[in-house]
């Protein structure tokens, strides 16, 4: 699998005259399942070309020992359980209706008393309602997605590879600050994001 890159999108340039110059991404970093198991945090950076048509690729790896936070994951097989859709529909309708009623009450309260605390409560419930609606949309989007695999396929190694590849794509290895500098250390990235927002 191609691990992607950071830096200039092109790794090769031919012809230095501006009218005849050709740019392309010819060089890639490919890893296999075994590599991904050993070095989950592998990244590639396209460096500046010097003395060659090709840019050097810097490959960085780490194998952090601390366990990442485990978040709730929705599993498709739940949708096949008898009564699942009925339970989900009832829960969403109840939650959405409850949030809508709360929002309506808070809106009236803000009209009568536009204090900061009332506005904060209104904004908080409004955000919860929006999140609830987006969760519903996301669920139905996944439910409507094409099932491209064969139900009888027990190739767990392949599926682990797909899962790890998705996990890899979601990782942040560095973040560019407003002043143009880069945060590359995990703790610095966390502190930078928290201070920004």
């Amino acid at each position: 699998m191609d691990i992607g890159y950071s830096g200039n999108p092109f790794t090769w340039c031919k012809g230095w005259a501006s009218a005849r110059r050709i740019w392309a991404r010819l060089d890639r970093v490919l890893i296999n399942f075994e590599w991904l198991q050993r070095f989950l945090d592998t990244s590639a950076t396209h460096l500046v070309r010097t003395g060659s048509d090709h840019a050097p690729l810097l490959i960085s790896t780490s194998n952090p020992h601390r366990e990442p936070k485990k978040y709730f994951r929705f599993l498709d097989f739940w949708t096949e359980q008898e009564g699942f859709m009925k339970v989900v529909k009832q829960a969403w309708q109840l939650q959405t209706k409850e949030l809508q009623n709360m929002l309506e009450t808070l809106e009236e309260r803000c009209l009568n008393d536009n204090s900061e605390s009332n506005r904060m409560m209104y904004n908080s419930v409004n955000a919860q309602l929006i999140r609830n609606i987006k969760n519903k949309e996301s669920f139905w989007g996944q439910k409507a997605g094409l099932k491209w695999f064969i139900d009888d396929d027990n190739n767990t190694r392949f599926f682990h590879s797909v899962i790890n590849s998705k996990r890899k794509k979601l990782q942040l290895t560095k973040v560019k600050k407003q002043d143009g500098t880069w945060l590359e250390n995990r703790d610095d990235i966390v502190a930078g994001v928290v201070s920004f927002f």
Side-chain angles (χ1 to χ4, degrees):
M1 64 192 75
D2 186 338
I3 67 168
Y5 64 90
S6 60
N8 190 313
F10 305 111
T11 64
W12 177 79
C13 178
K14 186 65 175 171
W16 292 102
S18 57
R20 294 178 293 142
R21 188 171 296 170
I22 301 170
W23 297 88
R25 182 183 174 214
L26 296 182
D27 309 287
R28 297 167 190 269
V29 176
L30 302 176
I31 60 175
N32 61 15
F33 176 74
E34 287 77 10
W35 181 278
L36 191 59
Q37 289 296 99
R38 289 197 174 113
F39 304 103
L40 187 59
D41 291 339
T42 302
S43 62
T45 305
H46 295 173
L47 301 179
V48 177
R49 287 175 296 106
T50 53
S52 172
D53 293 343
H54 293 267
L57 305 184
L58 175 65
I59 302 167
S60 304
T61 63
S62 65
N63 197 1
H65 295 293
R66 63 182 176 184
E67 283 291 315
K69 289 181 181 176
K70 302 290 184 185
Y71 295 98
F72 172 78
R73 300 287 187 222
F74 179 79
L75 302 175
D76 281 344
F77 79 88
W78 289 342
T79 63
E80 307 302 325
Q81 303 301 310
E82 187 177 347
F84 172 79
M85 297 307 296
K86 184 179 178 183
V87 171
V88 170
K89 189 174 181 182
Q90 287 173 344
W92 269 336
Q93 284 176 341
L94 180 66
Q95 188 177 11
T96 303
K97 188 65 179 169
E98 186 180 326
L99 289 169
Q100 286 171 337
N101 290 340
M102 287 173 64
L103 201 60
E104 189 177 344
T105 302
L106 288 168
E107 190 174 280
E108 288 179 20
R109 191 182 296 175
C110 284
L111 287 172
N112 296 326
D113 177 16
N114 193 23
S115 65
E116 185 178 349
S117 61
N118 283 344
R119 287 195 311 272
M120 284 176 64
M121 287 172 61
Y122 175 87
N123 290 337
S124 174
V125 173
N126 191 35
Q128 289 178 51
L129 180 60
I130 290 169
R131 193 178 310 118
N132 179 263
I133 291 168
K134 285 194 178 296
N135 287 343
K136 261 201 272 193
E137 289 173 355
S138 176
F139 168 78
W140 289 114
Q142 182 180 358
K143 181 67 177 156
L146 296 173
K147 295 192 176 183
W148 52 270
F149 60 89
I150 301 168
D151 289 338
D152 293 336
D153 189 350
N154 290 324
N155 190 347
T156 55
R157 176 179 158 137
F158 170 74
F159 286 112
H160 280 294
S161 175
V162 171
I163 290 167
N164 283 333
S165 176
K166 285 183 179 180
R167 197 175 290 154
K168 168 78 185 88
K169 288 178 183 175
L170 295 175
Q171 289 180 345
L172 280 176
T173 55
K174 61 182 185 176
V175 173
K176 191 174 188 179
K177 292 171 55 178
Q178 288 178 319
D179 64 4
T181 60
W182 289 91
L183 298 174
E184 297 188 40
N185 177 286
R186 191 176 298 224
D187 294 332
D188 291 342
I189 291 173
V190 171
V193 170
V194 169
S195 67
F196 180 81
F197 289 104

